[in-house]
């Protein structure tokens, strides 16, 4: 008799967006003709840059001719793309990076979920609170989270509160975790981590032998000089951190699907418990990179482990999509993507300024497309949701949906149109909430 | 101190294709100017159908306009594609199927690897021998395979020999497995399973409470009437089987990436050990489909579990690629894809007839693009590889690379050009091996 992975049965329903949808549907049914402004969605709305579209069309044409048709892509991405990434996203910003440290994939969500495959189920995991739900959910599926309590927390996960008092950058936890998820610029709070913050984390991880899983999906939204866009801007980070990057928010690829994960060859695990077996070399050597009972004594290369995982469970990313991603780095492509990011950040700035002018406490919106708003008068996140929907016709996301420390907060996003964004801010200010 | 998943250290190197590459490179260096014919690759070589290319270009254009731009795709695939799949691949062939039984993904390799996420690590797994290596490797990664022995076998996996004596369709094993991988039409042997074979397997699985993971990536290559293309053509299969399908070989999508997995809503697990917790409903309801401690007592829906896995660890498939896949079902698309399959199958027929005429024992090639050849005179698979390379300049794949029962066999594929295929057969016949 086959058995399922019973960890799945412990998962709470992800009711956040379903609940939002249901409340909005009910409200809309009761208020026909009422214009609703959607500032809840974390999804690109601006079209792809013309250079990117042209590259896709060209690649599609190549796939239709025998002479230029492409079959299976290289497991870790085409060199043309891995080289562009290493050059533009790292080396030109002063961070040494080799193409074979980079693994191209269909999404940062896939990678940040799948990365757990190469880690022991015994690791203690630390996550921020509030946080993007995928980190906790995927660890729960792997049996790393323990049990889910009535307090909305998993009993084996270390939660790190992110609140106004610490500028939404957590303290170093006293219960030492093995694996630490950090996401900056942050979803949902919109906070950025400074160089000093990241130095503290890298130092802590190196000292304790912890692994940092760094999600920098929003790096393109950094506008303040000096704010790190990559964990690898910090000395020593290649020895303790994996970084997730995506074209989703940088280039509007949420529906096009391309991302990459950096697993530096310098990143080595002693394999705990003294399992001295070694995995030689990087994953660049394709399927030959792993060897059971190998003899290089230094430890296990995570680059080789991830390479093995990806080569076994993925068949590369669509050629057409990789050509589209490559075009993001062309001069025209960069201009186009930059224009979309600036459009969204102008929205963010309008929201932040408008809320502050109206007397709200609000954060984020400077280095991230998210604005994190304190619900006034001790309102709960869902109470504010209902009030904004009713009085302003504005749809946002209740902060409590991102974790217990999100209670009493509310997320607005910069991904709407300029017109809707302006209208939403005016309506919120006029809603008589303060 | 973080720890890795030590199961990865047990994996043997996947040296098969690396070793082939290395021997070919060495030979080529010693024989400059020698024309080598590559019949080892299981990868499409014919271009995409014009209707598919046009659909991709059109979709790329839509992504470049604000009015038609698409952000995140639905987690399980666009309805326009799921409906086409249900209609064309199932209902028109007499198999009832709902779109919400179908999960669109980037590849059957991903799905057949990731499916293990929703299954307990305690299940005993059965695989064919010889076999596509992903089944064993992904189970080894999940700790389901035990230890790898000097005999080239994992000690917790049940191996089912596929040999000429059983027409390459295995006997029912006496050591009862919980999860059974079957792939028909088969890679590497090219064998097809008959209706009676599949009825036997479905009956066995239903009786024992086993789960069949059915890989029908090559169903488009079936030419003989009556050979099942789907496990669901067998009564009762929806209660015991998951099916993997791909556009890779059907429509030349190896480099375009689109596939789907069918997890019928009828497929329910008692959750072993009497864990009566239930997961209500299908995954159609998106994130609301799972509920810890739910109260529907019947068992756990694998459709809901897989839906939860995909919604948590995947962000859907590229819009452009889904439009391309949709076009496979248009009249023009079907014609184009059919023409490519027929081209390959004409190659298969040329190889099979040529080998038989020359006196070889050979199988497959009628309902699959693979020809499985017995090495003459007790030669080993690698000895035949070297001889064919040297005497005929033909590159194939040693059967021993697919498992111990592949020793003494050799795989040739139909994916080369007509000209190279014909030339290869003539050269093999003239190589003096018989």
């Amino acid at each position: 008799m086959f058995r399922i992975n019973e960890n799945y049965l412990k998962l709470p329903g992800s009711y956040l967006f379903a609940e939002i949808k249901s409340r909005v549907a009910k409200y809309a049914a009761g208020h026909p003709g009422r214009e609703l402004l959607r500032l809840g969605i974390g999804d690109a709305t601006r079209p792809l840059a013309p250079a990117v579209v042209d590259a896709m069309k060209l690649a599609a044409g190549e796939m239709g001719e025998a002479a230029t048709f492409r079959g299976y892509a290289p497991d870790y991405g085409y060199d043309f793309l891995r080289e562009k990434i290493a050059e533009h996203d790292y080396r030109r910003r002063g961070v040494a990076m080799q193409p074979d440290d980079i693994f191209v994939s269909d999404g940062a969500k896939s990678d940040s979920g799948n990365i757990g495959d190469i880690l022991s189920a015994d690791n203690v995991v630390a996550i921020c609170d509030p946080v993007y739900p995928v980190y906790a959910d995927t660890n729960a599926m792997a049996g790393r989270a323990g049990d889910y309590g009535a307090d909305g927390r998993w009993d084996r996960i270390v939660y790190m509160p992110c609140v106004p008092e610490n500028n939404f950058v957590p303290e170093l936890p006293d219960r030492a975790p093995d694996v630490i998820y950090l996401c900056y610029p942050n979803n949902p709070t919109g906070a950025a981590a400074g160089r000093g913050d990241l130095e503290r984390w890298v130092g802590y991880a190196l000292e304790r032998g912890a692994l940092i899983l760094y999600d920098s999906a929003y790096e393109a939204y950094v506008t303040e000089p000096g704010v790190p866009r990559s964990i690898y801007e910090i000395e020593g980070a290649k020895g303790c951190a994996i970084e997730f990057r995506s074209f989703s928010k940088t280039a509007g690829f949420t529906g096009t699907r391309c991302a990459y994960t950096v697993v530096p060859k310098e990143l080595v695990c002693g394999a705990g418990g003294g399992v001295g077996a070694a995995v030689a070399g990087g994953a660049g050597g394709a399927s030959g990179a792993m060897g059971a009972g190998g003899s290089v004594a230094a430890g296990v290369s995570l680059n080789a482990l991830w390479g093995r995982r990806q080569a076994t469970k993925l068949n590369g990313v669509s050629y057409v999509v990789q050509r589209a991603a490559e075009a993001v780095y062309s001069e025209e492509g960069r201009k186009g993507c930059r224009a979309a990011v600036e459009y969204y950040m102008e929205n963010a700035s309008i929201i932040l300024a408008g809320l502050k002018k109206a007397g709200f406490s609000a954060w984020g919106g400077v280095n991230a497309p998210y604005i994190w708003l304190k619900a006034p008068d001790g309102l709960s996140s869902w109470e504010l949701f209902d009030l904004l929907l009713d009085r302003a016709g504005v749809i946002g996301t209740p902060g409590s949906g991102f974790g217990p420390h999100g209670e009493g907060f509310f997320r607005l996003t910069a991904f709407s149109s300029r017109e809707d964004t302006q209208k939403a801010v005016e309506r919120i200010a006029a809603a008589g909430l303060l």
Side-chain angles (χ1 to χ4, degrees), chain A:
Chain A
M1 174 85 80
F2 83 93
R3 292 162 303 281
I4 60 154
N5 175 354
E6 291 180 8
N7 293 312
Y8 275 66
L9 301 180
K10 299 180 179 178
L11 290 166
S14 297
Y15 293 120
L16 177 62
F17 290 98
E19 178 66 21
I20 290 174
K21 200 173 161 188
S22 143
R23 291 198 192 199
V24 169
K26 197 178 155 191
Y27 180 83
H31 301 77
R34 170 80 151 131
E35 183 198 46
L36 298 179
L37 307 171
R38 295 167 196 278
L39 276 68
I41 193 170
D43 191 1
T45 53
R46 304 295 300 161
L48 295 182
V52 171
V53 172
D54 291 346
M56 269 205 278
K57 287 181 178 172
L58 192 66
E62 288 178 56
M63 296 297 267
E65 303 292 333
T68 49
F69 173 81
R70 308 259 189 154
Y72 288 118
D75 286 331
Y76 310 136
Y78 277 104
D79 285 343
F80 64 71
L81 180 56
R82 297 170 93 190
E83 277 161 13
K84 288 277 192 320
I85 291 168
E87 173 64 18
H88 287 262
D89 290 350
Y90 293 99
R91 288 194 294 250
R92 289 198 185 179
R93 295 177 186 166
V95 177
M97 190 62 69
Q98 302 297 323
D100 62 359
D101 291 325
I102 291 160
F103 297 84
V104 175
S105 82
D106 66 301
K109 185 180 177 188
S110 309
D111 288 354
S112 61
N114 291 334
I115 196 74
D117 282 15
I118 65 167
L119 301 174
S120 166
D122 294 334
N123 288 302
V124 172
V125 165
I127 62 173
C128 290
D129 171 19
V131 75
Y132 177 53
V134 167
Y135 311 146
D137 287 358
T138 55
N139 279 292
M141 289 170 172
R144 229 173 263 120
D147 290 308
Y148 191 72
D151 60 351
R153 291 162 178 274
W154 296 92
D155 65 4
R156 278 199 78 229
I157 286 184
V158 175
Y159 288 87
M160 306 183 295
C162 295
V163 290
E165 293 69 31
N166 61 18
N167 291 315
F168 305 100
V169 179
E171 326 294 335
L172 304 174
D174 41 13
R175 182 176 152 208
D178 304 306
V179 177
I180 302 159
Y181 288 80
L182 294 175
C183 169
Y184 290 99
N186 188 258
N187 175 17
T189 68
R195 176 170 296 276
D197 296 319
L198 295 187
E199 283 171 350
R200 206 159 33 95
W201 277 105
V202 168
Y204 178 88
L206 288 173
E207 188 191 312
R208 310 254 183 154
L211 176 66
I212 294 175
L213 298 178
Y214 196 76
D215 184 344
S216 64
Y218 296 97
E219 59 85 19
Y221 293 81
V222 168
T223 60
E224 291 183 318
V227 170
R229 290 163 159 238
S230 165
I231 189 78
Y232 303 121
E233 294 180 33
I234 310 302
E235 173 113 27
K238 286 190 179 172
C240 67
I242 288 171
E243 180 161 284
F244 304 106
R245 288 279 186 103
S246 172
F247 294 92
S248 283
K249 306 298 162 67
T250 310
F253 271 43
T254 49
T256 299
R257 314 303 315 142
C258 197
Y260 63 89
T261 287
V262 182
V263 190
K265 291 184 294 298
E266 292 88 333
L267 184 54
V268 165
C269 175
V275 174
V279 179
S287 51
M290 290 276 310
S295 58
V296 181
V300 179
S301 156
L302 270 71
N303 180 285
L305 285 184
W306 184 244
R308 182 66 191 242
R309 193 270 168 210
Q310 294 298 81
T312 305
K313 295 196 187 180
L314 192 76
N315 242 330
V317 172
S318 182
Y319 172 68
V320 171
V321 171
Q322 291 196 60
R323 282 293 185 202
E326 181 193 27
V328 167
Y329 297 102
S330 67
E331 202 182 318
E332 286 305 310
R334 276 182 294 165
K335 263 191 218 162
C337 295
R338 195 66 234 150
V341 166
E342 282 169 3
Y343 180 94
Y344 297 136
M345 288 310 288
E346 178 68 22
N347 285 350
S349 161
I350 289 166
I351 298 169
L352 187 67
L355 291 176
K356 286 191 167 176
K357 195 178 160 202
F360 286 92
S361 296
W363 299 267
V366 175
N367 296 304
Y370 297 113
I371 289 87
W372 194 239
L373 160 69
K374 178 89 184 114
D377 293 330
L379 289 174
S380 76
S381 297
W382 277 110
E383 285 168 346
L384 181 59
F385 177 88
D386 288 334
L387 279 171
L388 283 178
L389 179 58
D390 189 45
R391 296 196 194 164
V394 170
I395 303 162
T397 310
S400 56
F402 298 103
H405 277 89
E407 179 56 272
F409 291 88
F410 200 77
R411 190 188 77 171
L412 292 173
T413 79
F415 293 110
S416 199
S417 69
R418 179 66 36 80
E419 191 191 349
D420 280 5
T421 300
Q422 280 163 333
K423 217 183 291 179
V425 171
E426 284 158 22
R427 290 201 204 159
I428 294 171
L433 290 165
L434 288 169

